[in-house]
Amino acid sequence: AQSVTQPDIHITVSEGASLELRCNYSYGATPYLFWYVQSPGQGLQLLLKYFSGDTLVQGIKGFEAEFKRSQSSFNLRKPSVHWSDAAEYFCAARSGAGSYQLTFGKGTKLSVIP
Amino acid sequence: IAGITQAPTSQILAAGRRMTLRCTQDMRHNAMYWYRQDLGLGLRLIHYSNTAGTTGKGEVPDGYSVSRANTDDFPLTLASAVPSQTSVYFCASRGASTDTQYFGPGTRLTVL
C-alpha cells in the first residue's frame, strides 16, 4: 500500500539552529512529493513540491527539501529556524498516474525555543 | 479574494443529529476535497470531487456524504453523527493546471 511516514512526532530546536524534518514514502514508482505547514488554528499551506528534475527544491519561507530516490526520502530543511516557524509540518505524496489524491504523513510538530 | 471559506468555525452536536459542513471557494477550481484531521493520524481524505456533478470516495467515507451541484460549493453531510466523527474538518480545492491544494481554515466538530 502507498504510504508516507514521518518518523518524528515532535521536534524542538533553538531559534537560529538548523532544522531537518524527515519524510519517507512507500510507492511503486516515484511519487509527486509535497511539504505543507499548518500554523496553530489554521489550514495547511504548501511549502514546496517535487515532481522531477533537480532533486533539491526551494520553497517559501526559506525552506528547501531534497529528494533521495535511494532512500525513498524527501526531507525538509531550513538553515536557521525562526520562532515563527513553530507549527506542524506534513509531508504528502501522490502517484504520478493521473490521480491527484494526496496521502499525508501524520505530521511533525515543531517547537522553537527562543 | 477570500479563497476557501468554511462554516461553521466550530460546532458541538448531539449524537444522532444531522449536520452539514459548508465549503465555498471563489477560485473557480475544478477539484475539491474534504479531509478530517485527528491527533496522531494526520489528514485523511473523506470524499473528493474532480468537477461539478461528480464525486468520489476517499480513505474514510463511511458516515459522510457530499454533493457538488456547482463549481463553488462542496458541502459535507453527516446524516447521523457519532462521537467518532469528532474531528477537525478541512476543505481544499485545486485548479486544473496545478497540483497545489488550497485549504480552508477548518471546522472543529464535537459530537457528544
Side-chain angles (χ1 to χ4, degrees):
Chain A
Q2 298 171 337
S3 66
V4 176
T5 302
Q6 293 180 247
D8 304 305
I9 297 173
H10 190 185
I11 285 181
T12 300
V13 300
S14 298
E15 191 168 18
S18 63
L19 170 70
E20 183 169 27
L21 302 182
R22 296 183 292 165
C23 173
N24 295 97
Y25 63 87
S26 176
Y27 273 70
T30 300
Y32 293 3
L33 296 158
F34 307 79
W35 274 100
Y36 280 84
V37 60
Q38 183 181 30
S39 298
Q42 304 295 315
L44 278 71
Q45 180 184 21
L46 181 69
L47 284 175
L48 47 79
K49 56 189 176 184
Y50 172 77
F51 293 168
S52 65
D54 192 346
T55 57
L56 185 63
V57 293
Q58 303 297 320
I60 62 171
K61 304 185 180 187
F63 285 92
E64 65 179 25
E66 185 172 14
F67 169 68
K68 292 185 177 180
R69 185 190 306 275
S70 62
Q71 298 177 18
S72 297
S73 69
F74 187 56
N75 294 349
L76 182 72
R77 302 194 296 243
K78 187 169 185 178
S80 178
V81 170
H82 189 262
W83 64 266
S84 60
D85 293 324
E88 189 150 21
Y89 293 80
F90 292 93
C91 184
R94 73 164 182 90
S95 69
S99 168
Y100 286 89
Q101 295 180 40
L102 294 178
T103 297
F104 284 86
K106 295 181 180 181
T108 298
K109 183 176 181 180
L110 174 66
S111 297
V112 180
I113 300 173
Chain B
I1 297 177
I4 298 180
T5 57
Q6 292 185 236
T9 301
S10 66
Q11 181 76 44
I12 299 174
L13 188 67
R17 297 297 295 268
R18 180 184 180 89
M19 177 72 191
T20 295
L21 308 185
R22 300 185 298 278
C23 174
T24 300
Q25 53 105 356
D26 63 3
M27 298 176 282
R28 307 301 294 171
H29 285 170
N30 287 328
M32 297 186 75
Y33 307 85
W34 273 107
Y35 296 90
R36 59 177 289 172
Q37 183 180 29
D38 302 290
L39 191 64
L41 296 178
L43 279 82
R44 293 178 292 168
L45 182 66
I46 305 171
H47 284 287
Y48 66 93
S49 169
N50 287 329
T51 189
T54 69
T55 62
K57 295 181 179 180
E59 180 184 356
V60 288
D62 293 344
Y64 305 95
S65 63
V66 292
S67 61
R68 188 86 184 278
N70 57 63
T71 296
D72 298 343
D73 301 299
F74 190 42
L76 176 74
T77 298
L78 290 66
S80 179
V82 295
S84 62
Q85 292 177 311
T86 294
S87 187
V88 181
Y89 291 86
F90 287 99
C91 179
S93 72
R94 178 185 60 80
S97 59
T98 176
D99 244 288
T100 302
Q101 291 191 21
Y102 295 88
F103 284 79
T107 293
R108 181 174 296 275
L109 181 67
T110 302
V111 182
L112 302 176

